[in-house]
mmCIF file with all atom_site columns, all heavy atoms in Angstrom:
data_model
loop_
_atom_site.group_PDB
_atom_site.id
_atom_site.type_symbol
_atom_site.label_atom_id
_atom_site.label_alt_id
_atom_site.label_comp_id
_atom_site.label_asym_id
_atom_site.label_entity_id
_atom_site.label_seq_id
_atom_site.pdbx_PDB_ins_code
_atom_site.Cartn_x
_atom_site.Cartn_y
_atom_site.Cartn_z
_atom_site.occupancy
_atom_site.B_iso_or_equiv
_atom_site.pdbx_formal_charge
_atom_site.auth_seq_id
_atom_site.auth_comp_id
_atom_site.auth_asym_id
_atom_site.auth_atom_id
_atom_site.pdbx_PDB_model_num
ATOM 1   N N   . THR D 1 4   ? 1.037  8.170   2.034  1.00 70.00 ? 4   THR D N   1
ATOM 2   C CA  . THR D 1 4   ? 1.063  9.584   1.678  1.00 70.00 ? 4   THR D CA  1
ATOM 3   C C   . THR D 1 4   ? 2.331  10.177  2.255  1.00 70.00 ? 4   THR D C   1
ATOM 4   O O   . THR D 1 4   ? 2.964  9.571   3.129  1.00 70.00 ? 4   THR D O   1
ATOM 5   C CB  . THR D 1 4   ? -0.151 10.324  2.266  1.00 70.00 ? 4   THR D CB  1
ATOM 6   O OG1 . THR D 1 4   ? -0.036 10.266  3.687  1.00 70.00 ? 4   THR D OG1 1
ATOM 7   C CG2 . THR D 1 4   ? -1.453 9.695   1.816  1.00 70.00 ? 4   THR D CG2 1
ATOM 8   N N   . LYS D 1 10  ? 10.446 8.483   7.845  1.00 97.00 ? 10  LYS D N   1
ATOM 9   C CA  . LYS D 1 10  ? 11.646 9.187   7.375  1.00 97.00 ? 10  LYS D CA  1
ATOM 10  C C   . LYS D 1 10  ? 12.912 8.406   7.774  1.00 97.00 ? 10  LYS D C   1
ATOM 11  O O   . LYS D 1 10  ? 13.135 8.158   8.967  1.00 97.00 ? 10  LYS D O   1
ATOM 12  C CB  . LYS D 1 10  ? 11.669 10.608  7.949  1.00 97.00 ? 10  LYS D CB  1
ATOM 13  C CG  . LYS D 1 10  ? 10.539 11.462  7.389  1.00 97.00 ? 10  LYS D CG  1
ATOM 14  C CD  . LYS D 1 10  ? 10.309 12.697  8.216  1.00 97.00 ? 10  LYS D CD  1
ATOM 15  C CE  . LYS D 1 10  ? 11.313 13.774  7.908  1.00 97.00 ? 10  LYS D CE  1
ATOM 16  N NZ  . LYS D 1 10  ? 10.977 15.053  8.571  1.00 97.00 ? 10  LYS D NZ  1
ATOM 17  N N   . LEU D 1 28  ? 14.685 1.772   -1.349 1.00 97.00 ? 28  LEU D N   1
ATOM 18  C CA  . LEU D 1 28  ? 13.714 2.024   -0.275 1.00 97.00 ? 28  LEU D CA  1
ATOM 19  C C   . LEU D 1 28  ? 12.558 2.897   -0.775 1.00 97.00 ? 28  LEU D C   1
ATOM 20  O O   . LEU D 1 28  ? 11.389 2.656   -0.452 1.00 97.00 ? 28  LEU D O   1
ATOM 21  C CB  . LEU D 1 28  ? 14.406 2.693   0.920  1.00 97.00 ? 28  LEU D CB  1
ATOM 22  C CG  . LEU D 1 28  ? 15.391 1.822   1.709  1.00 97.00 ? 28  LEU D CG  1
ATOM 23  C CD1 . LEU D 1 28  ? 16.100 2.655   2.790  1.00 97.00 ? 28  LEU D CD1 1
ATOM 24  C CD2 . LEU D 1 28  ? 14.683 0.635   2.362  1.00 97.00 ? 28  LEU D CD2 1
ATOM 25  N N   . GLU D 1 35  ? 10.397 8.066   3.146  1.00 97.00 ? 35  GLU D N   1
ATOM 26  C CA  . GLU D 1 35  ? 11.044 9.269   2.633  1.00 97.00 ? 35  GLU D CA  1
ATOM 27  C C   . GLU D 1 35  ? 12.507 9.155   3.063  1.00 97.00 ? 35  GLU D C   1
ATOM 28  O O   . GLU D 1 35  ? 12.787 9.007   4.270  1.00 97.00 ? 35  GLU D O   1
ATOM 29  C CB  . GLU D 1 35  ? 10.410 10.525  3.242  1.00 97.00 ? 35  GLU D CB  1
ATOM 30  C CG  . GLU D 1 35  ? 11.045 11.809  2.758  1.00 97.00 ? 35  GLU D CG  1
ATOM 31  C CD  . GLU D 1 35  ? 10.477 13.035  3.483  1.00 97.00 ? 35  GLU D CD  1
ATOM 32  O OE1 . GLU D 1 35  ? 9.459  12.916  4.203  1.00 97.00 ? 35  GLU D OE1 1
ATOM 33  O OE2 . GLU D 1 35  ? 11.085 14.111  3.326  1.00 97.00 ? 35  GLU D OE2 1
ATOM 34  N N   . LEU D 1 46  ? 25.247 15.399  12.060 1.00 95.00 ? 46  LEU D N   1
ATOM 35  C CA  . LEU D 1 46  ? 24.399 15.954  13.124 1.00 95.00 ? 46  LEU D CA  1
ATOM 36  C C   . LEU D 1 46  ? 23.477 17.051  12.600 1.00 95.00 ? 46  LEU D C   1
ATOM 37  O O   . LEU D 1 46  ? 22.295 17.117  12.950 1.00 95.00 ? 46  LEU D O   1
ATOM 38  C CB  . LEU D 1 46  ? 25.275 16.489  14.269 1.00 95.00 ? 46  LEU D CB  1
ATOM 39  C CG  . LEU D 1 46  ? 25.647 15.519  15.394 1.00 95.00 ? 46  LEU D CG  1
ATOM 40  C CD1 . LEU D 1 46  ? 24.409 15.161  16.217 1.00 95.00 ? 46  LEU D CD1 1
ATOM 41  C CD2 . LEU D 1 46  ? 26.339 14.265  14.903 1.00 95.00 ? 46  LEU D CD2 1
ATOM 42  N N   . ILE D 1 49  ? 20.661 15.449  10.751 1.00 96.00 ? 49  ILE D N   1
ATOM 43  C CA  . ILE D 1 49  ? 19.674 14.843  11.669 1.00 96.00 ? 49  ILE D CA  1
ATOM 44  C C   . ILE D 1 49  ? 18.754 15.935  12.231 1.00 96.00 ? 49  ILE D C   1
ATOM 45  O O   . ILE D 1 49  ? 17.531 15.780  12.268 1.00 96.00 ? 49  ILE D O   1
ATOM 46  C CB  . ILE D 1 49  ? 20.387 14.098  12.825 1.00 96.00 ? 49  ILE D CB  1
ATOM 47  C CG1 . ILE D 1 49  ? 21.225 12.940  12.279 1.00 96.00 ? 49  ILE D CG1 1
ATOM 48  C CG2 . ILE D 1 49  ? 19.365 13.575  13.832 1.00 96.00 ? 49  ILE D CG2 1
ATOM 49  C CD1 . ILE D 1 49  ? 22.182 12.342  13.299 1.00 96.00 ? 49  ILE D CD1 1
ATOM 50  N N   . LEU D 1 56  ? 14.204 6.984   11.755 1.00 97.00 ? 56  LEU D N   1
ATOM 51  C CA  . LEU D 1 56  ? 15.254 5.969   11.981 1.00 97.00 ? 56  LEU D CA  1
ATOM 52  C C   . LEU D 1 56  ? 16.497 6.343   11.175 1.00 97.00 ? 56  LEU D C   1
ATOM 53  O O   . LEU D 1 56  ? 16.393 6.825   10.047 1.00 97.00 ? 56  LEU D O   1
ATOM 54  C CB  . LEU D 1 56  ? 14.737 4.590   11.580 1.00 97.00 ? 56  LEU D CB  1
ATOM 55  C CG  . LEU D 1 56  ? 15.677 3.402   11.789 1.00 97.00 ? 56  LEU D CG  1
ATOM 56  C CD1 . LEU D 1 56  ? 14.905 2.175   12.293 1.00 97.00 ? 56  LEU D CD1 1
ATOM 57  C CD2 . LEU D 1 56  ? 16.385 3.015   10.487 1.00 97.00 ? 56  LEU D CD2 1
ATOM 58  N N   . LEU D 1 59  ? 23.171 3.753   10.104 1.00 95.00 ? 59  LEU D N   1
ATOM 59  C CA  . LEU D 1 59  ? 24.477 4.369   10.314 1.00 95.00 ? 59  LEU D CA  1
ATOM 60  C C   . LEU D 1 59  ? 25.622 3.401   10.010 1.00 95.00 ? 59  LEU D C   1
ATOM 61  O O   . LEU D 1 59  ? 25.641 2.276   10.527 1.00 95.00 ? 59  LEU D O   1
ATOM 62  C CB  . LEU D 1 59  ? 24.550 4.830   11.785 1.00 95.00 ? 59  LEU D CB  1
ATOM 63  C CG  . LEU D 1 59  ? 25.794 5.554   12.287 1.00 95.00 ? 59  LEU D CG  1
ATOM 64  C CD1 . LEU D 1 59  ? 26.062 6.825   11.502 1.00 95.00 ? 59  LEU D CD1 1
ATOM 65  C CD2 . LEU D 1 59  ? 25.620 5.879   13.779 1.00 95.00 ? 59  LEU D CD2 1
ATOM 66  N N   . ASP D 1 60  ? 26.548 3.857   9.184  1.00 92.00 ? 60  ASP D N   1
ATOM 67  C CA  . ASP D 1 60  ? 27.762 3.082   8.906  1.00 92.00 ? 60  ASP D CA  1
ATOM 68  C C   . ASP D 1 60  ? 28.702 3.184   10.113 1.00 92.00 ? 60  ASP D C   1
ATOM 69  O O   . ASP D 1 60  ? 28.556 4.100   10.937 1.00 92.00 ? 60  ASP D O   1
ATOM 70  C CB  . ASP D 1 60  ? 28.430 3.669   7.644  1.00 92.00 ? 60  ASP D CB  1
ATOM 71  C CG  . ASP D 1 60  ? 29.617 2.847   7.169  1.00 92.00 ? 60  ASP D CG  1
ATOM 72  O OD1 . ASP D 1 60  ? 29.725 1.660   7.537  1.00 92.00 ? 60  ASP D OD1 1
ATOM 73  O OD2 . ASP D 1 60  ? 30.439 3.400   6.408  1.00 92.00 ? 60  ASP D OD2 1
ATOM 74  N N   . VAL D 1 61  ? 29.657 2.273   10.218 1.00 87.00 ? 61  VAL D N   1
ATOM 75  C CA  . VAL D 1 61  ? 30.594 2.312   11.348 1.00 87.00 ? 61  VAL D CA  1
ATOM 76  C C   . VAL D 1 61  ? 31.927 2.939   10.945 1.00 87.00 ? 61  VAL D C   1
ATOM 77  O O   . VAL D 1 61  ? 32.372 3.928   11.527 1.00 87.00 ? 61  VAL D O   1
ATOM 78  C CB  . VAL D 1 61  ? 30.824 0.891   11.925 1.00 87.00 ? 61  VAL D CB  1
ATOM 79  C CG1 . VAL D 1 61  ? 31.903 0.921   13.011 1.00 87.00 ? 61  VAL D CG1 1
ATOM 80  C CG2 . VAL D 1 61  ? 29.527 0.337   12.502 1.00 87.00 ? 61  VAL D CG2 1
ATOM 81  N N   . MET D 1 62  ? 32.578 2.367   9.935  1.00 81.00 ? 62  MET D N   1
ATOM 82  C CA  . MET D 1 62  ? 33.909 2.858   9.559  1.00 81.00 ? 62  MET D CA  1
ATOM 83  C C   . MET D 1 62  ? 33.786 3.996   8.554  1.00 81.00 ? 62  MET D C   1
ATOM 84  O O   . MET D 1 62  ? 33.477 3.762   7.376  1.00 81.00 ? 62  MET D O   1
ATOM 85  C CB  . MET D 1 62  ? 34.745 1.710   8.975  1.00 81.00 ? 62  MET D CB  1
ATOM 86  C CG  . MET D 1 62  ? 35.193 0.706   10.024 1.00 81.00 ? 62  MET D CG  1
ATOM 87  S SD  . MET D 1 62  ? 36.022 -0.731  9.318  1.00 81.00 ? 62  MET D SD  1
ATOM 88  C CE  . MET D 1 62  ? 37.593 -0.027  8.832  1.00 81.00 ? 62  MET D CE  1
ATOM 89  N N   . PRO D 1 64  ? 35.603 8.097   7.571  1.00 79.00 ? 64  PRO D N   1
ATOM 90  C CA  . PRO D 1 64  ? 36.628 9.080   7.929  1.00 79.00 ? 64  PRO D CA  1
ATOM 91  C C   . PRO D 1 64  ? 36.031 10.207  8.782  1.00 79.00 ? 64  PRO D C   1
ATOM 92  O O   . PRO D 1 64  ? 34.819 10.373  8.815  1.00 79.00 ? 64  PRO D O   1
ATOM 93  C CB  . PRO D 1 64  ? 37.096 9.616   6.571  1.00 79.00 ? 64  PRO D CB  1
ATOM 94  C CG  . PRO D 1 64  ? 36.027 9.280   5.607  1.00 79.00 ? 64  PRO D CG  1
ATOM 95  C CD  . PRO D 1 64  ? 35.284 8.101   6.146  1.00 79.00 ? 64  PRO D CD  1
ATOM 96  N N   . ASP D 1 65  ? 36.862 10.961  9.445  1.00 80.00 ? 65  ASP D N   1
ATOM 97  C CA  . ASP D 1 65  ? 36.465 12.060  10.330 1.00 80.00 ? 65  ASP D CA  1
ATOM 98  C C   . ASP D 1 65  ? 35.709 11.499  11.545 1.00 80.00 ? 65  ASP D C   1
ATOM 99  O O   . ASP D 1 65  ? 36.330 11.052  12.463 1.00 80.00 ? 65  ASP D O   1
ATOM 100 C CB  . ASP D 1 65  ? 35.657 13.129  9.579  1.00 80.00 ? 65  ASP D CB  1
ATOM 101 C CG  . ASP D 1 65  ? 36.471 13.725  8.436  1.00 80.00 ? 65  ASP D CG  1
ATOM 102 O OD1 . ASP D 1 65  ? 37.654 14.021  8.659  1.00 80.00 ? 65  ASP D OD1 1
ATOM 103 O OD2 . ASP D 1 65  ? 35.945 13.853  7.313  1.00 80.00 ? 65  ASP D OD2 1
ATOM 104 N N   . ASP D 1 67  ? 33.485 8.533   13.076 1.00 84.00 ? 67  ASP D N   1
ATOM 105 C CA  . ASP D 1 67  ? 32.988 7.196   12.746 1.00 84.00 ? 67  ASP D CA  1
ATOM 106 C C   . ASP D 1 67  ? 31.624 6.985   13.404 1.00 84.00 ? 67  ASP D C   1
ATOM 107 O O   . ASP D 1 67  ? 31.091 7.872   14.088 1.00 84.00 ? 67  ASP D O   1
ATOM 108 C CB  . ASP D 1 67  ? 34.015 6.107   13.108 1.00 84.00 ? 67  ASP D CB  1
ATOM 109 C CG  . ASP D 1 67  ? 34.271 6.016   14.605 1.00 84.00 ? 67  ASP D CG  1
ATOM 110 O OD1 . ASP D 1 67  ? 33.436 6.500   15.393 1.00 84.00 ? 67  ASP D OD1 1
ATOM 111 O OD2 . ASP D 1 67  ? 35.310 5.442   14.977 1.00 84.00 ? 67  ASP D OD2 1
ATOM 112 N N   . HIS D 1 89  ? 24.713 -0.374  10.019 1.00 92.00 ? 89  HIS D N   1
ATOM 113 C CA  . HIS D 1 89  ? 24.852 -1.179  8.799  1.00 92.00 ? 89  HIS D CA  1
ATOM 114 C C   . HIS D 1 89  ? 26.343 -1.185  8.480  1.00 92.00 ? 89  HIS D C   1
ATOM 115 O O   . HIS D 1 89  ? 26.903 -0.149  8.107  1.00 92.00 ? 89  HIS D O   1
ATOM 116 C CB  . HIS D 1 89  ? 24.061 -0.503  7.664  1.00 92.00 ? 89  HIS D CB  1
ATOM 117 C CG  . HIS D 1 89  ? 24.013 -1.289  6.404  1.00 92.00 ? 89  HIS D CG  1
ATOM 118 N ND1 . HIS D 1 89  ? 24.081 -0.693  5.167  1.00 92.00 ? 89  HIS D ND1 1
ATOM 119 C CD2 . HIS D 1 89  ? 23.884 -2.616  6.175  1.00 92.00 ? 89  HIS D CD2 1
ATOM 120 C CE1 . HIS D 1 89  ? 23.999 -1.628  4.229  1.00 92.00 ? 89  HIS D CE1 1
ATOM 121 N NE2 . HIS D 1 89  ? 23.886 -2.801  4.813  1.00 92.00 ? 89  HIS D NE2 1
ATOM 122 N N   . THR D 1 92  ? 31.847 -4.697  9.127  1.00 74.00 ? 92  THR D N   1
ATOM 123 C CA  . THR D 1 92  ? 32.830 -5.211  10.091 1.00 74.00 ? 92  THR D CA  1
ATOM 124 C C   . THR D 1 92  ? 32.244 -6.134  11.151 1.00 74.00 ? 92  THR D C   1
ATOM 125 O O   . THR D 1 92  ? 32.893 -6.421  12.146 1.00 74.00 ? 92  THR D O   1
ATOM 126 C CB  . THR D 1 92  ? 33.566 -4.047  10.772 1.00 74.00 ? 92  THR D CB  1
ATOM 127 O OG1 . THR D 1 92  ? 32.594 -3.163  11.309 1.00 74.00 ? 92  THR D OG1 1
ATOM 128 C CG2 . THR D 1 92  ? 34.453 -3.317  9.789  1.00 74.00 ? 92  THR D CG2 1
ATOM 129 N N   . ARG D 1 94  ? 30.112 -9.997  11.579 1.00 61.00 ? 94  ARG D N   1
ATOM 130 C CA  . ARG D 1 94  ? 29.730 -11.190 10.841 1.00 61.00 ? 94  ARG D CA  1
ATOM 131 C C   . ARG D 1 94  ? 28.402 -11.711 11.379 1.00 61.00 ? 94  ARG D C   1
ATOM 132 O O   . ARG D 1 94  ? 28.039 -11.456 12.529 1.00 61.00 ? 94  ARG D O   1
ATOM 133 C CB  . ARG D 1 94  ? 30.804 -12.280 11.000 1.00 61.00 ? 94  ARG D CB  1
ATOM 134 C CG  . ARG D 1 94  ? 32.118 -11.935 10.336 1.00 61.00 ? 94  ARG D CG  1
ATOM 135 C CD  . ARG D 1 94  ? 33.168 -12.985 10.633 1.00 61.00 ? 94  ARG D CD  1
ATOM 136 N NE  . ARG D 1 94  ? 33.519 -12.994 12.041 1.00 61.00 ? 94  ARG D NE  1
ATOM 137 C CZ  . ARG D 1 94  ? 33.357 -14.033 12.856 1.00 61.00 ? 94  ARG D CZ  1
ATOM 138 N NH1 . ARG D 1 94  ? 32.822 -15.142 12.402 1.00 61.00 ? 94  ARG D NH1 1
ATOM 139 N NH2 . ARG D 1 94  ? 33.705 -13.967 14.127 1.00 61.00 ? 94  ARG D NH2 1
ATOM 140 N N   . LEU D 1 98  ? 26.638 -11.811 15.300 1.00 56.00 ? 98  LEU D N   1
ATOM 141 C CA  . LEU D 1 98  ? 25.324 -11.250 15.594 1.00 56.00 ? 98  LEU D CA  1
ATOM 142 C C   . LEU D 1 98  ? 24.366 -12.308 16.115 1.00 56.00 ? 98  LEU D C   1
ATOM 143 O O   . LEU D 1 98  ? 23.549 -12.038 16.988 1.00 56.00 ? 98  LEU D O   1
ATOM 144 C CB  . LEU D 1 98  ? 24.752 -10.595 14.330 1.00 56.00 ? 98  LEU D CB  1
ATOM 145 C CG  . LEU D 1 98  ? 25.430 -9.278  13.961 1.00 56.00 ? 98  LEU D CG  1
ATOM 146 C CD1 . LEU D 1 98  ? 24.974 -8.820  12.591 1.00 56.00 ? 98  LEU D CD1 1
ATOM 147 C CD2 . LEU D 1 98  ? 25.112 -8.215  14.997 1.00 56.00 ? 98  LEU D CD2 1
ATOM 148 N N   . SER D 1 99  ? 24.471 -13.531 15.582 1.00 57.00 ? 99  SER D N   1
ATOM 149 C CA  . SER D 1 99  ? 23.520 -14.564 15.997 1.00 57.00 ? 99  SER D CA  1
ATOM 150 C C   . SER D 1 99  ? 23.701 -14.888 17.482 1.00 57.00 ? 99  SER D C   1
ATOM 151 O O   . SER D 1 99  ? 22.747 -15.203 18.180 1.00 57.00 ? 99  SER D O   1
ATOM 152 C CB  . SER D 1 99  ? 23.678 -15.816 15.142 1.00 57.00 ? 99  SER D CB  1
ATOM 153 O OG  . SER D 1 99  ? 24.969 -16.343 15.322 1.00 57.00 ? 99  SER D OG  1
ATOM 154 N N   . GLY D 1 107 ? 24.002 -2.746  22.748 1.00 76.00 ? 107 GLY D N   1
ATOM 155 C CA  . GLY D 1 107 ? 22.669 -2.151  22.837 1.00 76.00 ? 107 GLY D CA  1
ATOM 156 C C   . GLY D 1 107 ? 22.101 -1.675  21.522 1.00 76.00 ? 107 GLY D C   1
ATOM 157 O O   . GLY D 1 107 ? 20.981 -1.152  21.474 1.00 76.00 ? 107 GLY D O   1
ATOM 158 N N   . PHE D 1 108 ? 22.832 -1.835  20.423 1.00 83.00 ? 108 PHE D N   1
ATOM 159 C CA  . PHE D 1 108 ? 22.336 -1.343  19.135 1.00 83.00 ? 108 PHE D CA  1
ATOM 160 C C   . PHE D 1 108 ? 22.212 -2.492  18.124 1.00 83.00 ? 108 PHE D C   1
ATOM 161 O O   . PHE D 1 108 ? 23.058 -3.384  18.095 1.00 83.00 ? 108 PHE D O   1
ATOM 162 C CB  . PHE D 1 108 ? 23.275 -0.279  18.566 1.00 83.00 ? 108 PHE D CB  1
ATOM 163 C CG  . PHE D 1 108 ? 23.331 0.960   19.410 1.00 83.00 ? 108 PHE D CG  1
ATOM 164 C CD1 . PHE D 1 108 ? 24.371 1.174   20.287 1.00 83.00 ? 108 PHE D CD1 1
ATOM 165 C CD2 . PHE D 1 108 ? 22.295 1.890   19.352 1.00 83.00 ? 108 PHE D CD2 1
ATOM 166 C CE1 . PHE D 1 108 ? 24.407 2.293   21.085 1.00 83.00 ? 108 PHE D CE1 1
ATOM 167 C CE2 . PHE D 1 108 ? 22.319 3.011   20.150 1.00 83.00 ? 108 PHE D CE2 1
ATOM 168 C CZ  . PHE D 1 108 ? 23.376 3.229   21.021 1.00 83.00 ? 108 PHE D CZ  1
ATOM 169 N N   . LYS D 1 113 ? 26.867 -5.877  6.188  1.00 91.00 ? 113 LYS D N   1
ATOM 170 C CA  . LYS D 1 113 ? 26.941 -5.707  4.733  1.00 91.00 ? 113 LYS D CA  1
ATOM 171 C C   . LYS D 1 113 ? 27.591 -6.948  4.146  1.00 91.00 ? 113 LYS D C   1
ATOM 172 O O   . LYS D 1 113 ? 28.505 -7.490  4.784  1.00 91.00 ? 113 LYS D O   1
ATOM 173 C CB  . LYS D 1 113 ? 27.806 -4.497  4.374  1.00 91.00 ? 113 LYS D CB  1
ATOM 174 C CG  . LYS D 1 113 ? 27.231 -3.154  4.734  1.00 91.00 ? 113 LYS D CG  1
ATOM 175 C CD  . LYS D 1 113 ? 28.223 -2.061  4.357  1.00 91.00 ? 113 LYS D CD  1
ATOM 176 C CE  . LYS D 1 113 ? 27.707 -0.674  4.747  1.00 91.00 ? 113 LYS D CE  1
ATOM 177 N NZ  . LYS D 1 113 ? 28.721 0.385   4.532  1.00 91.00 ? 113 LYS D NZ  1
ATOM 178 N N   . GLN D 1 119 ? 16.256 -7.742  3.028  1.00 95.00 ? 119 GLN D N   1
ATOM 179 C CA  . GLN D 1 119 ? 16.779 -7.831  4.406  1.00 95.00 ? 119 GLN D CA  1
ATOM 180 C C   . GLN D 1 119 ? 16.797 -6.464  5.070  1.00 95.00 ? 119 GLN D C   1
ATOM 181 O O   . GLN D 1 119 ? 16.471 -6.321  6.252  1.00 95.00 ? 119 GLN D O   1
ATOM 182 C CB  . GLN D 1 119 ? 18.197 -8.422  4.391  1.00 95.00 ? 119 GLN D CB  1
ATOM 183 C CG  . GLN D 1 119 ? 18.243 -9.894  4.028  1.00 95.00 ? 119 GLN D CG  1
ATOM 184 C CD  . GLN D 1 119 ? 19.672 -10.374 3.753  1.00 95.00 ? 119 GLN D CD  1
ATOM 185 O OE1 . GLN D 1 119 ? 20.499 -9.624  3.239  1.00 95.00 ? 119 GLN D OE1 1
ATOM 186 N NE2 . GLN D 1 119 ? 19.936 -11.631 4.056  1.00 95.00 ? 119 GLN D NE2 1
ATOM 187 N N   . ALA D 1 122 ? 13.214 -5.455  6.071  1.00 96.00 ? 122 ALA D N   1
ATOM 188 C CA  . ALA D 1 122 ? 12.770 -6.221  7.249  1.00 96.00 ? 122 ALA D CA  1
ATOM 189 C C   . ALA D 1 122 ? 13.442 -5.683  8.507  1.00 96.00 ? 122 ALA D C   1
ATOM 190 O O   . ALA D 1 122 ? 12.810 -5.558  9.573  1.00 96.00 ? 122 ALA D O   1
ATOM 191 C CB  . ALA D 1 122 ? 13.097 -7.702  7.052  1.00 96.00 ? 122 ALA D CB  1
ATOM 192 N N   . ILE D 1 124 ? 14.713 -2.590  8.979  1.00 96.00 ? 124 ILE D N   1
ATOM 193 C CA  . ILE D 1 124 ? 14.185 -1.253  9.280  1.00 96.00 ? 124 ILE D CA  1
ATOM 194 C C   . ILE D 1 124 ? 12.817 -1.377  9.952  1.00 96.00 ? 124 ILE D C   1
ATOM 195 O O   . ILE D 1 124 ? 12.542 -0.722  10.966 1.00 96.00 ? 124 ILE D O   1
ATOM 196 C CB  . ILE D 1 124 ? 14.109 -0.400  7.989  1.00 96.00 ? 124 ILE D CB  1
ATOM 197 C CG1 . ILE D 1 124 ? 15.510 0.030   7.560  1.00 96.00 ? 124 ILE D CG1 1
ATOM 198 C CG2 . ILE D 1 124 ? 13.201 0.810   8.176  1.00 96.00 ? 124 ILE D CG2 1
ATOM 199 C CD1 . ILE D 1 124 ? 15.564 0.733   6.211  1.00 96.00 ? 124 ILE D CD1 1
ATOM 200 N N   . HIS D 1 127 ? 12.846 -2.298  13.580 1.00 94.00 ? 127 HIS D N   1
ATOM 201 C CA  . HIS D 1 127 ? 13.378 -1.343  14.556 1.00 94.00 ? 127 HIS D CA  1
ATOM 202 C C   . HIS D 1 127 ? 12.766 0.058   14.466 1.00 94.00 ? 127 HIS D C   1
ATOM 203 O O   . HIS D 1 127 ? 13.155 0.942   15.242 1.00 94.00 ? 127 HIS D O   1
ATOM 204 C CB  . HIS D 1 127 ? 14.900 -1.273  14.415 1.00 94.00 ? 127 HIS D CB  1
ATOM 205 C CG  . HIS D 1 127 ? 15.557 -2.576  14.750 1.00 94.00 ? 127 HIS D CG  1
ATOM 206 N ND1 . HIS D 1 127 ? 15.643 -3.046  16.034 1.00 94.00 ? 127 HIS D ND1 1
ATOM 207 C CD2 . HIS D 1 127 ? 16.107 -3.533  13.952 1.00 94.00 ? 127 HIS D CD2 1
ATOM 208 C CE1 . HIS D 1 127 ? 16.236 -4.230  16.028 1.00 94.00 ? 127 HIS D CE1 1
ATOM 209 N NE2 . HIS D 1 127 ? 16.531 -4.549  14.775 1.00 94.00 ? 127 HIS D NE2 1
#
Side-chain angles (χ1 to χ4, degrees):
Chain D
T4 64
K10 293 164 79 172
L28 291 175
E35 180 185 349
L46 270 291
I49 297 168
L56 182 141
L59 182 59
D60 186 20
V61 174
M62 288 174 73
D65 300 316
D67 65 19
H89 186 218
T92 53
R94 293 175 294 119
L98 287 171
S99 62
F108 295 100
K113 291 178 182 173
Q119 290 169 326
I124 287 173
H127 296 288

